[in-house]
């Protein structure tokens, strides 16, 4: 489907990866810290203490004959997690326990068993009120059920390339929240403020989107945050097959491409790291519903009959390369894509 040149020139790389451009909606600021001027989005704060590439299987979730190979975030090549052969801790001690030989870690607030292995998938479970937040958590409500790559604060060198593919399924009782946005993917640098880029589900009050639409948000743009509608609106039982291709770099040396269900929804040669933090970060997956940090956000959901949020993640594949690697710039869409 795609044909990628191995050229190190980013213009050539981008042109050869994709033949179609995506339409974007550009707006302002971030889901950030004290620098945030957008009251609709809240700060991202992590509660943290301190190969060869092969073809995917033909089954939709890449489960059949899938076996975990794993790998640290700073290791090169293809890394695979199939979940059926990975032990996932409960998170009852701190919510940040590592697993898969220290290659991944929980990032949950504020209770155990918010990320659970279920067959060949990970199940993310978030109920803001039930159970009550654990003693180790400072929040009043449960608002995060994520996993992240390790080691934490990996600080990938500029120019590092990653291909990331996974499937993401919404539960059969999923309801679109018409008041509160939330994230299901982010690339987090481990610094205060917003991640450089993320995938969000937003209400129609934000960015001209449809209620429940997936929006690609890039906070690393030097002048203003780029918020791009995708036209994808998941409903109950929907599975999204997602591929993210990123070159972690500043300005036009960076590259961010996102496919959902084989359709290119974002394609820009643009900064993908903050100038104040010039390194690539750690990928995070799951649910981060920051409006549930406060009672007002919880109540807005309850008023719509939304008391919880459940999603599922299929097998995860990540390819990491550094400039100068033999396969740097090689088209690896089919290697990581969920189907």
């Amino acid at each position: 489907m795609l044909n990628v040149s191995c050229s190190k020139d980013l213009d050539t790389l981008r042109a050869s990866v994709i033949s179609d451009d995506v339409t974007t909606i550009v707006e302002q600021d971030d889901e950030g810290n004290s620098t945030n001027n957008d009251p609709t989005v809240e700060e991202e704060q992590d509660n943290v203490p301190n190969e060869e590439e092969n073809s995917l299987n033909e089954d939709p979730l890449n489960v059949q004959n899938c076996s975990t190979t794993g790998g640290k975030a700073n290791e090169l090549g293809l890394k695979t997690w199939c979940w059926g052969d990975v032990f996932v801790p409960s998170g009852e001690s701190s919510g940040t326990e590592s697993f898969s030989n220290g290659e991944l870690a929980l990032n949950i607030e504020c209770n155990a068993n918010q990320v659970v292995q279920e067959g060949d998938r990970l199940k993310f479970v978030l109920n803001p009120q039930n159970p009550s937040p654990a003693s180790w958590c400072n929040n009043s409500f449960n608002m995060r059920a994520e996993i992240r790559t390790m080691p934490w604060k990996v600080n990938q060198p500029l120019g590092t390339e990653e291909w990331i593919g996974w499937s993401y399924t919404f539960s059969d009782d999923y309801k679109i929240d018409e008041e509160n946005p939330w994230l299901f993917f982010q690339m987090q640098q481990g610094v205060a403020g917003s991640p450089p880029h993320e995938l969000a589900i937003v209400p129609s009050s934000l960015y001209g989107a449809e209620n429940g639409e997936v929006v690609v948000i890039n906070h690393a743009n030097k002048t203003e945050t780029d918020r791009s509608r995708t036209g994808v609106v998941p409903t109950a039982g929907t599975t999204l097959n997602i591929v993210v291709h990123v070159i972690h770099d500043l300005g036009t040396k960076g590259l961010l491409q996102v496919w959902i269900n084989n359709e290119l929804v974002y394609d820009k040669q643009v900064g993908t790291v903050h100038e104040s933090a010039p390194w690539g970060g750690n990928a995070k997956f799951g649910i981060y519903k920051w409006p549930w940090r406060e009672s007002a956000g919880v109540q807005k959901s309850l008023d719509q009959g939304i008391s919880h949020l459940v999603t599922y993640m299929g097998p995860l594949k990540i390819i990491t390369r550094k400039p100068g690697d033999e396969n740097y710039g090689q088209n690896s869409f089919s290697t990581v894509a969920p189907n």
Side-chain angles (χ1 to χ4, degrees):
M1 169 172 106
L2 309 173
N3 180 25
V4 179
S5 165
C6 291
S7 168
K8 306 302 184 291
D9 180 81
L10 192 52
D11 287 319
T12 304
L13 169 62
R14 180 175 180 271
S16 57
V17 173
I18 291 302
S19 58
D20 300 312
D21 285 332
V22 65
T23 301
T24 62
I25 292 178
V26 177
E27 215 186 294
Q28 57 92 120
D29 209 358
D30 62 23
E31 180 231 314
N33 206 4
S34 59
T35 57
N36 178 26
N37 296 317
D38 185 351
T40 60
V41 273
E42 206 254 32
E43 64 184 314
E44 162 67 7
Q45 295 176 329
D46 278 302
N47 58 322
V48 293
N50 277 319
E51 299 162 2
E52 291 287 327
E53 301 167 7
N54 8 5
S55 299
L56 292 185
N57 306 304
E58 296 300 324
D59 57 298
L61 295 180
N62 301 316
V63 170
Q64 192 174 28
N65 300 320
C66 184
S67 61
T68 294
T69 59
K72 298 287 183 68
N74 50 9
E75 292 179 7
L76 303 182
L78 174 64
K79 294 159 278 193
T80 302
W81 292 269
C82 302
W83 310 129
D85 53 2
V86 175
F87 171 77
V88 180
S90 67
E92 62 184 355
S93 297
S94 66
T96 59
E97 289 87 342
S98 63
F99 61 100
S100 186
N101 299 313
E103 299 157 349
L104 302 170
L106 298 175
N107 193 189
I108 61 178
E109 297 179 276
C110 291
N111 258 295
N113 301 310
Q114 290 184 177
V115 179
V116 182
Q117 178 195 19
E118 189 171 281
D120 295 306
R121 301 188 296 182
L122 287 187
K123 182 179 181 180
F124 302 102
V125 181
L126 204 59
N127 183 316
Q129 296 180 301
N130 187 23
S132 299
S135 59
W136 45 260
C137 188
N138 294 324
N139 292 318
S140 300
F141 301 97
N142 304 312
M143 34 71 68
R144 183 196 305 274
E146 294 180 300
I147 64 168
R148 62 166 176 258
T149 59
M150 292 287 280
W152 176 238
K153 298 187 180 179
V154 62
N155 292 7
Q156 302 279 23
L158 293 180
T160 300
E161 176 187 32
E162 293 190 283
W163 287 85
I164 307 170
W166 74 101
S167 63
Y168 194 70
T169 300
F170 295 73
S171 65
D172 290 338
D173 64 352
Y174 170 72
K175 296 180 180 178
I176 292 173
D177 194 325
E178 299 183 3
E179 295 289 341
N180 294 317
W182 55 282
L183 305 183
F184 62 93
F185 170 78
Q186 56 179 307
M187 191 66 71
Q188 179 57 243
Q189 292 180 290
V191 296
S194 299
H197 44 93
E198 58 201 18
L199 298 179
I201 303 284
V202 304
S204 60
S205 58
L206 296 178
Y207 327 136
E210 185 176 345
N211 276 323
E213 186 172 355
V214 178
V215 174
V216 181
I217 302 178
N218 183 357
H219 299 287
N221 188 9
K222 184 176 180 180
T223 55
E224 58 184 349
T225 294
D226 181 5
R227 295 181 169 97
S228 179
R229 296 179 57 187
T230 66
V232 177
V233 181
T235 56
T238 296
T239 294
L240 304 181
N241 293 321
I242 304 164
V243 172
V244 173
H245 178 213
V246 58
I247 293 179
H248 302 284
D249 218 321
L250 296 163
T252 55
K253 293 181 180 179
L255 177 67
L256 180 61
Q257 297 172 308
V258 180
W259 292 260
I260 298 179
N261 295 337
N262 295 321
E263 180 179 350
L264 180 69
V265 296
Y266 189 95
D267 175 24
K268 288 196 175 184
Q269 189 172 319
V270 66
T272 52
V273 301
H274 292 301
E275 289 194 355
S276 59
W279 56 79
N282 292 77
K284 299 180 68 179
F285 310 86
I287 302 170
Y288 174 44
K289 193 150 185 170
W290 67 92
W292 282 359
R293 192 188 300 272
E294 306 293 340
S295 59
V298 173
Q299 191 59 51
K300 285 180 180 180
S301 295
L302 291 175
D303 289 345
Q304 302 171 72
I306 299 171
S307 61
H308 64 279
L309 178 58
V310 176
T311 60
Y312 302 84
M313 182 180 188
L316 169 65
K317 296 199 172 188
I318 301 177
I319 294 171
T320 304
R321 302 190 184 111
K322 299 288 172 39
D325 291 350
E326 180 181 358
N327 294 324
Y328 188 84
Q330 176 180 311
N331 175 14
S332 297
F333 179 94
S334 62
T335 304
V336 301
N339 60 2

